[in-house]
Amino acid sequence: RHLYFPCVRAGFTKSQAAFACFLFSAVFHEVLVSIPFHMVRVYAFAGMLGQMPLVFITKRLEKSFGQTYWWPVVGNVVFWVTFCVVGQPMSVLMYYYDIVSVAKETAGEVGTSVAKELPNLISEAAAAAINATKAAMHHTEL
């Protein structure tokens, strides 16, 4: 509502306004993940933009099958499977893989074992991500 409706009032089409919202959200999610992990990857960005086709697919399925009493269940199942079962765990695994790869490269270059420091790095990154999320949630509540 803070970005979509102003875009529509500014003359954007509904699709353009939706794309602007998804793009803004994708950039914001990537920043929130990249800063704590100290590495820029496009996994969060791609994950957010990858949700946009789901909106159009869901609307097309709704038009094909019609609005029936069971349709909200189907929409919820599509969302939860793609977002929570597949999307977020896959993203976490990709970021974890990259953190471990960077740690191994660093250990090889420096000649020291980073394996002892890896749990601290992960816990610091997780704490920073949690704090950033709390700060963002506090900002939206104002």
Side-chain angles (χ1 to χ4, degrees):
R1 69 180 179 198
H2 298 292
L3 184 61
Y4 179 81
F5 290 120
C7 286
V8 170
R9 284 192 295 270
F12 285 51
T13 66
K14 289 182 179 182
S15 295
Q16 291 170 333
F19 179 74
C21 290
F22 275 99
L23 183 64
F24 178 79
S25 182
V27 169
F28 189 66
H29 275 80
E30 188 60 42
V31 168
L32 284 177
V33 172
S34 296
I35 290 173
F37 287 137
H38 303 287
M39 60 181 176
V40 177
R41 302 293 191 267
V42 295
Y43 306 140
F45 182 83
M48 290 303 297
L49 281 185
Q51 291 179 34
M52 193 165 181
L54 289 175
V55 173
F56 299 112
I57 291 169
T58 305
K59 284 183 181 180
R60 181 157 266 231
L61 287 173
E62 183 179 4
K63 287 179 184 177
S64 297
F65 295 111
Q67 183 95 21
T68 61
Y69 68 94
W70 55 268
W71 176 251
V73 174
V74 173
N76 281 334
V77 168
V78 168
F79 169 78
W80 287 108
V81 167
T82 58
F83 185 72
C84 293
V85 176
V86 176
Q88 287 183 347
M90 184 63 69
S91 178
V92 168
L93 286 173
M94 291 188 298
Y95 279 109
Y96 177 76
Y97 176 79
D98 283 349
I99 287 174
V100 171
S101 296
V102 168
K104 285 181 181 178
E105 289 173 10
T106 304
E109 292 172 7
V110 177
T112 60
S113 174
V114 181
K116 293 179 182 176
E117 295 298 320
L118 188 59
N120 294 335
L121 174 66
I122 293 172
S123 64
E124 288 173 10
I130 290 169
N131 290 336
T133 303
K134 286 179 180 177
M137 291 173 63
H138 177 70
H139 178 69
T140 57
E141 291 175 358
L142 297 178

